[in-house]
Amino acid sequence: MELNRRNFIKLSAVSGLFAAGATQAKPALTAFTETKASAATNTEGEWVGSTCQGCTTWCPVQVYVVNGRATKVRGNPNAKANHGEVCVRAHLSLQQVYDPDRVKQPMKRTNQNKGKDQDPQFVPITWEEAMDTIAEKILELRKNGESHKFSVWRGRYTANNEILYGSLAKMVGSPNNISHSSICAEAEKFGPYYTEALWGYRDYDHANCRYELLWGADPISSNRQVPHTINIWGNTMDRATIACIDPRLSATAAKADEWLPIIPGEDGALATAIAHVLLTEGLWYKPFVGDFVDGVNKFVAGRTVREEDFEEIEGYGVVKWWNLALKDTTPEWAAERCGIPVDQILRVARGFGEAAPHAISFLSPGASMQIRGGYTAIAVHALNGLVGSADNKGGTLSWSSVPSNGMPSFDDYLDDIAKKGAKEKRIDQGGTLKFPGLNKKSGGSKFTANMAQAMLDEDPYDLKVVLSYWNNFNFSCPDTNKWDKALAKLPFLVHMTVNPAEMTHFADIVLPVTHQLYERLSPVKGSGGNMHAHMTLTQRVIEPLWDVKIDETEIPFMLAEALAKKGFSNIYDYYTKEFVDPETGKRPTTPEEFNEIVTKIYSEPVWNPSIEKKGDNINGWEEFKKVAVWNSVPYQFKKKWGGNWGTDTGKFEFYSETLKRVLGEHAEANDASIDQVMEATLNTARGELAFVGHYEPAYRHGEETEFPFIFSEHRSRLNREARSANTSWYQEFKNADPGDVAWDDVAKINPIDAAKLGVNDGDKVKLTSPYGDITVTAKLWEGTRPGVISKCYGQGHWAYGRTASLDFGKKIARGGNNNTILADAYEALSGSTARHGGTTRIKVEKV
């Protein structure tokens, strides 16, 4: 097989991985690859609908295609959640799809030694050989009674993920389908769930809000719903007071009325102090929370209150919350812990309360993804209950429903091996005493990042065969050195990826997959915004330049065919017998047909006009492909009011009976008490304090005497989930983020700290934690709190391409990966990785 630029990057014995050789520090901007140059001169194009998955908003977009080339991206004018607009991340995707460093055909490893310092010596293979090899490995596990040592690792995904992630591992015979979700979100969902039974992201009625508390959120740059927020933010600032709680002066904070540069990890002190002020000064929203029977406010600092003296309406347990966690959390008490002056705490709390019920407490990962952040998440979200903004106009909202179909049942295709293997313990240890993962139940969350340690310890066992897609865990999970060791130990890894990445370096088989926005057909149920939920369609708007397949459907179908040829036909039979085109009645015979049928089955309720729904009327599949988005009706306020909150009490729970039950079930399953669960998860709460949002002092890795600085990371507005670093546009416009520098990776240091360190602007500095070190450039900047080093996440790739690296061939990264120095730590109650809140301490040394 000829190997050239057209099908793969030139391989070299010295390069180590998919190398193109050394590159200059700042490569020339090239919009397209050198392959398939078109001789056509027609400049007339068409707009084709698809979806951007640069964040979890999953905005509907349109791509302008000219002569088969994608040339521009814009928001889909049919979309309501994002006002028909997109942010910068969608535009960056143009350089991704035409990236010359993409994986272009299947490859296999020929050097069986694994390690960062090893050359994998990849050689091209056919798709048939790849599927045959993977099938052999799977069947070997099943033959040896080790089917549970098979695992599917999911990164980002579409609604079609049920094929590869949802059922494949179970049909092989393993409980180990592991999602990336806990490394980016779960603690944020913990607070809303254990107050109002909402496990997921929230929408916000910015248009009618009068006060917004942004807890580590930078909504015009990152988090979610960026196009919607940018579109409406000018009007929001005209009518509302904006208070940003963040140790870094973010883009949103720079435009805000109040910036509260909090000590990372101490958000719980501020949240409970604000709640204390709202109650002692009578600023809670009485039509929601209720009031004292005699109308006299008995919330007095330091004093307990009798529960029978208070008559509740929509809320439950506000007096219990006060007695357990709030009566002593005065602004003076909080100021000593969170570093915010008393007068500012009072001013913000009063302004927030006076705006009730049109006031939003906007919870984000920054405030919750820390070791004890679950209780901060509850306290922060409970503020929405105190001011009556939960499920209310000008407040924080759930979502309108989006109709969809599930996949056909595969129960009849589970043999005895599959049933037995699925009963084994999970590799991530979720549901054990120290890893509760209380996503609605014990072990409901997957502890993705913990797999590295579990694999090294072989606890509860080792993994032998892994299919991994749309992810790069040894770059995106904390303690990257640990992940490199775990992947080096893994006998057989298949990495399905658009670009070669750090995980690819440890793979045995590399499979090239379609770019999400341009080359695949899949439905996506977006998180929405602007009070509209949506289903949007990703489409093959261009023909792929290279030999790529769709990871979630086409590759599983091909693997099923290979397994069937070797005598295990259960998966193939499931695909070909149970999946029927809802329009034509046809069953799939090819991977491409299978993908389309799966997409049509899932999305049928939005495009079949005979199915009743609350939203757009779309007349058939072809029309859905043309408009490429279905919009719900606008969200209806107060749907949960009147006892419909979904919690154990049916009310908004300030004292969470729901959490009390789930914690109790987890403790019982592990033959422990709830206090023992608290101890195992590093929380200080004991007794009933475990059932309310409360202050937990920040837990940090690294002794202050050796590591005097708190490390705080943030996201770039150009960061397509850390996948845009190999685009020159990302590097060129990196300074769009306050304090950052184009074509560099900077540690933002307050000038007060820099003077003590003898560090000048532009110096190279080494950041060292107990887990590793990285070398970056110092940026002296008043926009980070003294004692805190702020740094953007996304740089530090050594195996992602010639632009992401300083020298791709020699594996020299551009800047440093934050995860190299971050502790492998967890907010264990939710299952979340603890990557925020100053979990890790560092020292700074001039190089």
Side-chain angles (χ1 to χ4, degrees):
M1 180 179 294
E2 182 183 4
L3 187 64
N4 56 36
R5 187 100 190 251
R6 185 169 184 171
N7 55 35
F8 207 76
I9 294 173
K10 182 180 178 182
L11 292 173
S12 166
V14 253
S15 67
L17 174 65
F18 310 113
T23 65
Q24 67 266 39
K26 186 175 180 179
L29 189 152
T30 303
F32 301 117
T33 68
E34 299 170 8
T35 62
K36 291 191 175 179
S38 173
T41 58
N42 179 24
T43 58
E44 292 295 323
E46 64 173 335
W47 290 101
V48 184
S50 193
T51 309
C52 174
Q53 288 189 256
C55 75
T56 52
T57 302
W58 296 339
C59 286
V61 300
Q62 289 183 335
V63 180
Y64 195 60
V65 181
V66 180
N67 295 324
R69 290 278 194 181
T71 63
K72 290 188 286 188
V73 182
R74 71 180 184 186
N76 188 329
N78 301 304
K80 297 178 180 178
N82 62 338
H83 306 267
E85 306 289 350
V86 291
C87 73
V88 65
R89 285 180 287 229
H91 302 293
L92 289 171
S93 65
L94 282 166
Q95 285 197 325
Q96 289 180 315
V97 69
Y98 292 117
D99 186 347
D101 292 334
R102 282 183 61 175
V103 181
K104 299 174 176 65
Q105 66 185 74
M107 307 289 285
K108 74 175 179 180
R109 184 185 202 93
T110 59
N111 178 8
Q112 297 311 305
N113 296 318
K114 294 185 179 181
K116 186 175 179 180
D117 60 342
Q118 293 288 326
D119 180 355
Q121 298 177 12
F122 289 106
V123 298
I125 58 173
T126 64
W127 279 100
E128 291 75 16
E129 182 181 349
M131 295 300 107
D132 186 73
T133 303
I134 299 167
E136 285 285 358
K137 295 293 183 180
I138 290 173
L139 292 176
E140 183 179 348
L141 289 181
R142 286 174 52 87
K143 179 181 177 181
N144 294 335
E146 296 181 311
S147 63
H148 56 287
K149 296 185 178 182
F150 171 75
S151 186
V152 173
W153 294 351
R154 179 183 77 176
R156 182 53 60 220
Y157 55 91
T158 74
N160 286 348
N161 79 95
E162 283 301 309
I163 303 303
L164 176 54
Y165 174 76
S167 61
L168 184 65
K170 296 181 179 66
M171 297 180 72
V172 168
S174 174
N176 291 314
N177 55 333
I178 308 295
S179 172
H180 81 295
S181 297
S182 66
I183 68 174
C184 71
E186 303 308 76
E188 178 187 347
K189 302 171 185 176
F190 190 79
Y193 186 77
Y194 289 106
T195 50
E196 60 166 297
L198 171 60
W199 189 277
Y201 307 127
R202 281 78 56 210
D203 197 2
Y204 304 93
D205 185 13
H206 297 300
N208 294 296
C209 188
R210 297 295 180 269
Y211 205 109
E212 298 211 21
L213 288 177
L214 304 177
W215 297 87
D218 185 13
I220 64 173
S221 297
S222 61
N223 205 264
R224 296 162 186 96
Q225 306 166 9
V226 173
H228 163 53
T229 308
I230 292 174
N231 187 277
I232 203 171
W233 204 246
N235 291 332
T236 300
M237 290 193 300
D238 286 343
R239 82 172 58 84
T241 299
I242 309 297
C244 286
I245 304 157
D246 198 317
R248 174 185 68 102
L249 186 70
S250 65
T252 308
K255 299 177 179 294
D257 300 279
E258 300 269 3
W259 176 38
L260 293 82
I262 197 165
I263 297 173
E266 299 292 345
D267 304 77
L270 180 59
T272 52
I274 290 173
H276 178 96
V277 173
L278 293 176
L279 293 174
T280 56
E281 298 195 5
L283 295 173
W284 73 89
Y285 189 63
K286 296 175 178 60
F288 183 93
V289 181
D291 199 1
F292 288 98
V293 176
D294 60 6
V296 178
N297 186 4
K298 295 178 175 61
F299 292 124
V300 178
R303 298 183 187 176
T304 59
V305 173
R306 296 194 313 166
E307 293 179 40
E308 57 267 30
D309 289 345
F310 196 94
E311 185 175 356
E312 297 184 302
I313 302 176
E314 292 294 333
Y316 172 84
V318 69
V319 173
K320 289 183 178 180
W321 186 28
W322 167 265
N323 290 337
L324 289 166
L326 302 180
K327 65 182 179 64
D328 298 318
T329 59
T330 64
E332 292 77 11
W333 167 90
E336 294 179 359
R337 289 157 177 80
C338 69
I340 303 301
V342 172
D343 61 339
Q344 190 173 29
I345 295 175
L346 284 167
R347 183 172 64 249
V348 168
R350 288 165 178 164
F352 183 68
E354 289 164 359
H358 310 302
I360 293 171
S361 179
F362 191 128
L363 173 65
S364 81
S368 56
M369 289 182 69
Q370 49 183 292
I371 290 174
R372 294 165 174 164
Y375 288 111
T376 299
I378 293 176
V380 167
H381 193 72
L383 294 175
N384 291 303
L386 280 185
V387 297
S389 66
D391 198 42
N392 200 359
K393 182 178 180 180
T396 176
L397 315 171
S398 301
W399 299 108
S400 299
S401 62
V402 177
S404 62
N405 287 328
M407 294 297 111
S409 172
F410 55 86
D411 289 350
D412 291 342
Y413 299 88
L414 296 173
D415 60 15
D416 291 340
I417 294 175
K419 292 176 182 177
K420 180 181 178 181
K423 294 178 181 178
E424 293 282 347
K425 295 178 180 179
R426 290 202 324 244
I427 185 65
D428 67 299
Q429 302 175 354
T432 59
L433 180 63
K434 64 182 291 188
F435 294 117
L438 305 179
N439 177 353
K440 307 176 186 178
K441 63 179 182 178
S442 175
S445 295
K446 307 290 178 72
F447 284 81
T448 310
N450 189 52
M451 286 193 297
Q453 190 64 59
M455 290 162 64
L456 291 172
D457 294 341
E458 299 188 10
D459 180 13
Y461 43 76
D462 58 332
L463 289 180
K464 291 189 174 180
V465 178
V466 171
L467 305 187
S468 186
Y469 79 102
W470 215 336
N471 53 20
N472 189 23
F473 289 155
N474 59 324
F475 181 88
S476 59
C477 290
D479 199 346
T480 58
N481 293 323
K482 181 184 294 184
W483 266 94
D484 286 348
K485 292 176 184 176
L487 292 177
K489 182 182 177 183
L490 180 62
F492 189 77
L493 170 64
V494 179
H495 197 207
M496 295 169 266
T497 183
V498 174
N499 272 67
E502 284 70 21
M503 183 180 280
T504 317
H505 186 80
F506 295 86
D508 297 272
I509 297 285
V510 184
L511 299 179
V513 299
T514 52
H515 187 282
Q516 163 272 321
L517 196 156
Y518 299 94
E519 299 172 331
R520 69 188 295 154
L521 175 68
S522 303
V524 177
K525 189 182 291 188
S527 57
N530 192 29
M531 296 190 293
H532 287 84
H534 62 248
M535 183 185 292
T536 177
L537 198 63
T538 67
Q539 297 193 79
R540 178 162 285 187
V541 300
I542 61 171
E543 286 301 311
L545 292 173
W546 298 295
D547 189 12
V548 295
K549 304 292 183 184
I550 299 176
D551 41 28
E552 292 180 327
T553 50
E554 292 180 349
I555 292 176
F557 190 91
M558 295 164 66
L559 178 58
E561 289 180 311
L563 288 166
K565 290 177 183 177
K566 296 178 182 297
F568 178 54
S569 64
N570 297 37
I571 300 174
Y572 183 75
D573 291 343
Y574 169 58
Y575 292 165
T576 56
K577 294 179 180 179
E578 301 298 328
F579 286 81
V580 180
D581 189 310
E583 274 193 315
T584 67
K586 182 179 179 180
R587 289 178 169 81
T589 59
T590 67
E592 295 77 16
E593 290 176 352
F594 182 60
N595 177 73
E596 183 174 50
I597 290 172
V598 170
T599 301
K600 291 173 75 173
I601 288 173
Y602 182 88
S603 62
E604 183 192 8
V606 306
W607 54 259
N608 186 334
S610 68
I611 298 176
E612 186 177 350
K613 49 193 157 288
K614 296 181 179 179
D616 293 348
N617 292 314
I618 297 176
N619 189 26
W621 171 244
E622 291 302 319
E623 183 175 327
F624 184 44
K625 288 197 294 182
K626 183 176 181 179
V627 299
V629 62
W630 177 88
N631 304 284
S632 73
V633 297
Y635 186 82
Q636 301 300 306
F637 300 123
K638 298 186 176 182
K639 291 193 297 184
K640 294 184 176 183
W641 290 41
N644 300 311
W645 292 91
T647 59
D648 282 13
T649 62
K651 295 190 173 188
F652 187 100
E653 294 184 342
F654 298 108
Y655 177 98
S656 184
E657 295 285 358
T658 308
L659 179 56
K660 184 177 182 178
R661 172 181 56 79
V662 176
L663 262 175
E665 291 167 354
H666 175 74
E668 183 178 357
N670 286 278
D671 194 24
S673 67
I674 291 177
D675 281 355
Q676 288 174 317
V677 175
M678 292 293 102
E679 182 178 8
T681 56
L682 304 179
N683 284 285
T684 64
R686 298 294 183 269
E688 287 191 293
L689 189 61
F691 313 135
V692 296
H694 64 271
Y695 170 67
E696 288 274 346
Y699 186 106
R700 309 197 197 280
H701 284 252
E703 293 296 328
E704 185 174 2
T705 52
E706 184 178 0
F707 304 100
F709 292 98
I710 298 171
F711 185 73
S712 177
E713 74 163 15
H714 64 93
R715 297 293 184 269
S716 168
R717 67 176 68 189
L718 280 68
N719 203 351
R720 286 181 59 83
E721 299 202 326
R723 296 183 177 94
S724 47
N726 205 47
T727 68
S728 56
W729 291 341
Y730 171 88
Q731 303 290 351
E732 184 71 28
F733 300 109
K734 190 71 175 57
N735 55 1
D737 298 306
D740 278 311
V741 177
W743 292 99
D744 207 345
D745 191 20
V746 299
K748 293 177 278 291
I749 306 173
N750 191 283
I752 295 173
D753 295 323
K756 296 175 183 177
L757 293 166
V759 170
N760 297 312
D761 198 63
D763 285 347
K764 291 297 181 183
V765 291
K766 183 167 71 170
L767 311 183
T768 305
S769 78
Y771 307 98
D773 62 77
I774 55 177
T775 298
V776 295
T777 303
K779 171 69 174 181
L780 274 58
W781 191 52
E782 295 86 349
T784 189
R785 182 187 176 93
V788 177
I789 306 298
S790 297
K791 183 178 173 298
C792 188
Y793 170 72
Q795 300 278 48
H797 281 287
W798 52 267
Y800 206 65
R802 68 194 74 185
T803 304
S805 308
L806 280 178
D807 192 316
F808 189 28
K810 296 180 180 179
K811 301 195 290 287
I812 301 175
R814 184 184 299 280
N817 180 3
N818 295 358
N819 283 316
T820 299
I821 60 176
L822 286 180
D824 178 20
Y826 303 88
E827 198 300 298
L829 294 180
S830 66
S832 174
T833 296
R835 61 183 317 118
H836 294 298
T839 295
T840 307
R841 286 189 169 276
I842 63 170
K843 61 181 176 182
V844 180
E845 299 169 287
K846 185 175 179 179
V847 177

PDB file of all heavy atoms in Angstrom, residues 54 83 190 209 252-253 376 390 411 489 496 543 547 550 656 670 692 770 845:
ATOM      1  N   GLY A  54     -18.801  22.040  19.446  1.00  0.00           N
ATOM      2  CA  GLY A  54     -17.643  22.639  20.095  1.00  0.00           C
ATOM      3  C   GLY A  54     -17.838  22.832  21.571  1.00  0.00           C
ATOM      4  O   GLY A  54     -16.878  23.109  22.300  1.00  0.00           O
ATOM      5  N   HIS A  83     -30.573  31.848  18.562  1.00  0.00           N
ATOM      6  CA  HIS A  83     -30.947  33.021  17.765  1.00  0.00           C
ATOM      7  C   HIS A  83     -30.425  32.920  16.333  1.00  0.00           C
ATOM      8  O   HIS A  83     -30.242  33.934  15.652  1.00  0.00           O
ATOM      9  CB  HIS A  83     -30.413  34.312  18.400  1.00  0.00           C
ATOM     10  CG  HIS A  83     -30.790  34.515  19.815  1.00  0.00           C
ATOM     11  ND1 HIS A  83     -31.906  35.227  20.207  1.00  0.00           N
ATOM     12  CD2 HIS A  83     -30.194  34.096  20.963  1.00  0.00           C
ATOM     13  CE1 HIS A  83     -31.987  35.258  21.532  1.00  0.00           C
ATOM     14  NE2 HIS A  83     -30.965  34.562  22.013  1.00  0.00           N
ATOM     15  N   PHE A 190     -25.055  18.086  40.526  1.00  0.00           N
ATOM     16  CA  PHE A 190     -25.384  17.558  41.848  1.00  0.00           C
ATOM     17  C   PHE A 190     -26.285  18.518  42.626  1.00  0.00           C
ATOM     18  O   PHE A 190     -27.257  18.096  43.260  1.00  0.00           O
ATOM     19  CB  PHE A 190     -24.074  17.313  42.609  1.00  0.00           C
ATOM     20  CG  PHE A 190     -24.213  16.557  43.896  1.00  0.00           C
ATOM     21  CD1 PHE A 190     -24.352  15.173  43.896  1.00  0.00           C
ATOM     22  CD2 PHE A 190     -24.182  17.213  45.119  1.00  0.00           C
ATOM     23  CE1 PHE A 190     -24.468  14.466  45.085  1.00  0.00           C
ATOM     24  CE2 PHE A 190     -24.296  16.522  46.309  1.00  0.00           C
ATOM     25  CZ  PHE A 190     -24.438  15.138  46.292  1.00  0.00           C
ATOM     26  N   CYS A 209     -34.174  38.811  33.752  1.00  0.00           N
ATOM     27  CA  CYS A 209     -33.463  38.796  35.034  1.00  0.00           C
ATOM     28  C   CYS A 209     -33.051  40.211  35.442  1.00  0.00           C
ATOM     29  O   CYS A 209     -32.808  41.073  34.592  1.00  0.00           O
ATOM     30  CB  CYS A 209     -32.235  37.906  34.919  1.00  0.00           C
ATOM     31  SG  CYS A 209     -31.414  37.634  36.492  1.00  0.00           S
ATOM     32  N   THR A 252     -16.380  38.077  31.012  1.00  0.00           N
ATOM     33  CA  THR A 252     -17.651  38.524  31.591  1.00  0.00           C
ATOM     34  C   THR A 252     -17.407  39.415  32.801  1.00  0.00           C
ATOM     35  O   THR A 252     -18.073  40.448  32.963  1.00  0.00           O
ATOM     36  CB  THR A 252     -18.505  37.309  31.985  1.00  0.00           C
ATOM     37  OG1 THR A 252     -18.624  36.415  30.874  1.00  0.00           O
ATOM     38  CG2 THR A 252     -19.892  37.748  32.424  1.00  0.00           C
ATOM     39  N   ALA A 253     -16.456  39.044  33.647  1.00  0.00           N
ATOM     40  CA  ALA A 253     -16.158  39.859  34.828  1.00  0.00           C
ATOM     41  C   ALA A 253     -15.696  41.250  34.440  1.00  0.00           C
ATOM     42  O   ALA A 253     -15.981  42.238  35.133  1.00  0.00           O
ATOM     43  CB  ALA A 253     -15.103  39.164  35.684  1.00  0.00           C
ATOM     44  N   THR A 376     -21.167  22.757  48.074  1.00  0.00           N
ATOM     45  CA  THR A 376     -21.185  24.106  47.513  1.00  0.00           C
ATOM     46  C   THR A 376     -22.223  24.191  46.412  1.00  0.00           C
ATOM     47  O   THR A 376     -22.970  25.175  46.312  1.00  0.00           O
ATOM     48  CB  THR A 376     -19.799  24.476  46.964  1.00  0.00           C
ATOM     49  OG1 THR A 376     -18.848  24.451  48.023  1.00  0.00           O
ATOM     50  CG2 THR A 376     -19.810  25.863  46.340  1.00  0.00           C
ATOM     51  N   ALA A 390     -36.329  29.793  41.008  1.00  0.00           N
ATOM     52  CA  ALA A 390     -36.302  28.446  40.441  1.00  0.00           C
ATOM     53  C   ALA A 390     -37.578  28.198  39.643  1.00  0.00           C
ATOM     54  O   ALA A 390     -38.687  28.349  40.164  1.00  0.00           O
ATOM     55  CB  ALA A 390     -36.167  27.411  41.562  1.00  0.00           C
ATOM     56  N   ASP A 411     -32.136  -7.331  24.589  1.00  0.00           N
ATOM     57  CA  ASP A 411     -32.177  -8.371  25.624  1.00  0.00           C
ATOM     58  C   ASP A 411     -32.155  -9.780  25.035  1.00  0.00           C
ATOM     59  O   ASP A 411     -31.522 -10.692  25.602  1.00  0.00           O
ATOM     60  CB  ASP A 411     -33.431  -8.199  26.483  1.00  0.00           C
ATOM     61  CG  ASP A 411     -33.353  -6.972  27.392  1.00  0.00           C
ATOM     62  OD1 ASP A 411     -32.257  -6.389  27.482  1.00  0.00           O
ATOM     63  OD2 ASP A 411     -34.376  -6.603  27.980  1.00  0.00           O
ATOM     64  N   LYS A 489       0.362  -0.113  30.017  1.00  0.00           N
ATOM     65  CA  LYS A 489       0.108  -1.450  30.551  1.00  0.00           C
ATOM     66  C   LYS A 489      -1.044  -2.160  29.831  1.00  0.00           C
ATOM     67  O   LYS A 489      -1.122  -3.399  29.833  1.00  0.00           O
ATOM     68  CB  LYS A 489      -0.210  -1.328  32.049  1.00  0.00           C
ATOM     69  CG  LYS A 489      -0.440  -2.643  32.756  1.00  0.00           C
ATOM     70  CD  LYS A 489      -0.805  -2.415  34.217  1.00  0.00           C
ATOM     71  CE  LYS A 489      -1.104  -3.743  34.908  1.00  0.00           C
ATOM     72  NZ  LYS A 489      -1.527  -3.560  36.310  1.00  0.00           N
ATOM     73  N   MET A 496     -10.277   5.427  18.103  1.00  0.00           N
ATOM     74  CA  MET A 496     -11.019   5.963  16.968  1.00  0.00           C
ATOM     75  C   MET A 496     -10.979   7.477  17.084  1.00  0.00           C
ATOM     76  O   MET A 496     -11.549   8.048  18.017  1.00  0.00           O
ATOM     77  CB  MET A 496     -12.448   5.432  16.999  1.00  0.00           C
ATOM     78  CG  MET A 496     -12.535   3.930  16.807  1.00  0.00           C
ATOM     79  SD  MET A 496     -14.177   3.248  17.149  1.00  0.00           S
ATOM     80  CE  MET A 496     -13.971   2.765  18.862  1.00  0.00           C
ATOM     81  N   GLU A 543     -17.983  15.446   1.012  1.00  0.00           N
ATOM     82  CA  GLU A 543     -17.460  14.093   0.932  1.00  0.00           C
ATOM     83  C   GLU A 543     -16.097  14.057   1.613  1.00  0.00           C
ATOM     84  O   GLU A 543     -15.244  14.918   1.343  1.00  0.00           O
ATOM     85  CB  GLU A 543     -17.340  13.637  -0.522  1.00  0.00           C
ATOM     86  CG  GLU A 543     -18.667  13.308  -1.170  1.00  0.00           C
ATOM     87  CD  GLU A 543     -19.402  12.208  -0.411  1.00  0.00           C
ATOM     88  OE1 GLU A 543     -18.782  11.162  -0.102  1.00  0.00           O
ATOM     89  OE2 GLU A 543     -20.603  12.387  -0.119  1.00  0.00           O
ATOM     90  N   ASP A 547     -10.185   8.071   4.090  1.00  0.00           N
ATOM     91  CA  ASP A 547     -10.903   6.813   4.294  1.00  0.00           C
ATOM     92  C   ASP A 547     -11.407   6.721   5.733  1.00  0.00           C
ATOM     93  O   ASP A 547     -10.872   5.981   6.553  1.00  0.00           O
ATOM     94  CB  ASP A 547      -9.977   5.642   3.958  1.00  0.00           C
ATOM     95  CG  ASP A 547     -10.712   4.314   3.925  1.00  0.00           C
ATOM     96  OD1 ASP A 547     -11.963   4.324   3.929  1.00  0.00           O
ATOM     97  OD2 ASP A 547     -10.027   3.269   3.898  1.00  0.00           O
ATOM     98  N   ILE A 550     -17.834   6.387  10.482  1.00  0.00           N
ATOM     99  CA  ILE A 550     -18.533   6.951  11.644  1.00  0.00           C
ATOM    100  C   ILE A 550     -18.340   6.019  12.826  1.00  0.00           C
ATOM    101  O   ILE A 550     -18.673   4.829  12.760  1.00  0.00           O
ATOM    102  CB  ILE A 550     -20.024   7.153  11.341  1.00  0.00           C
ATOM    103  CG1 ILE A 550     -20.198   8.140  10.177  1.00  0.00           C
ATOM    104  CG2 ILE A 550     -20.752   7.675  12.579  1.00  0.00           C
ATOM    105  CD1 ILE A 550     -21.638   8.322   9.733  1.00  0.00           C
ATOM    106  N   SER A 656     -32.437  18.246  52.019  1.00  0.00           N
ATOM    107  CA  SER A 656     -32.701  17.276  50.957  1.00  0.00           C
ATOM    108  C   SER A 656     -33.019  15.890  51.497  1.00  0.00           C
ATOM    109  O   SER A 656     -32.133  15.102  51.836  1.00  0.00           O
ATOM    110  CB  SER A 656     -31.502  17.196  50.006  1.00  0.00           C
ATOM    111  OG  SER A 656     -31.795  16.328  48.935  1.00  0.00           O
ATOM    112  N   ASN A 670     -22.726  -0.468  51.192  1.00  0.00           N
ATOM    113  CA  ASN A 670     -21.310  -0.650  51.537  1.00  0.00           C
ATOM    114  C   ASN A 670     -21.111  -0.993  53.014  1.00  0.00           C
ATOM    115  O   ASN A 670     -19.988  -0.877  53.526  1.00  0.00           O
ATOM    116  CB  ASN A 670     -20.532   0.617  51.170  1.00  0.00           C
ATOM    117  CG  ASN A 670     -20.333   0.769  49.678  1.00  0.00           C
ATOM    118  OD1 ASN A 670     -19.432   0.187  49.097  1.00  0.00           O
ATOM    119  ND2 ASN A 670     -21.218   1.545  49.041  1.00  0.00           N
ATOM    120  N   VAL A 692     -27.779  19.045  53.727  1.00  0.00           N
ATOM    121  CA  VAL A 692     -28.030  20.427  53.326  1.00  0.00           C
ATOM    122  C   VAL A 692     -26.774  21.014  52.694  1.00  0.00           C
ATOM    123  O   VAL A 692     -25.652  20.563  52.960  1.00  0.00           O
ATOM    124  CB  VAL A 692     -28.445  21.316  54.523  1.00  0.00           C
ATOM    125  CG1 VAL A 692     -29.770  20.851  55.111  1.00  0.00           C
ATOM    126  CG2 VAL A 692     -27.350  21.347  55.586  1.00  0.00           C
ATOM    127  N   PRO A 770       2.820  18.453  43.392  1.00  0.00           N
ATOM    128  CA  PRO A 770       3.289  17.127  43.835  1.00  0.00           C
ATOM    129  C   PRO A 770       3.223  16.056  42.746  1.00  0.00           C
ATOM    130  O   PRO A 770       3.729  14.950  42.943  1.00  0.00           O
ATOM    131  CB  PRO A 770       2.335  16.792  44.989  1.00  0.00           C
ATOM    132  CG  PRO A 770       1.840  18.111  45.484  1.00  0.00           C
ATOM    133  CD  PRO A 770       1.742  18.966  44.266  1.00  0.00           C
ATOM    134  N   GLU A 845       8.888  28.691  39.748  1.00  0.00           N
ATOM    135  CA  GLU A 845      10.326  28.945  39.698  1.00  0.00           C
ATOM    136  C   GLU A 845      10.707  29.519  38.347  1.00  0.00           C
ATOM    137  O   GLU A 845      10.269  29.014  37.303  1.00  0.00           O
ATOM    138  CB  GLU A 845      11.102  27.639  39.918  1.00  0.00           C
ATOM    139  CG  GLU A 845      10.835  26.971  41.256  1.00  0.00           C
ATOM    140  CD  GLU A 845      11.400  25.582  41.320  1.00  0.00           C
ATOM    141  OE1 GLU A 845      10.828  24.672  40.671  1.00  0.00           O
ATOM    142  OE2 GLU A 845      12.429  25.399  42.001  1.00  0.00           O
TER     143      GLU A 845
END
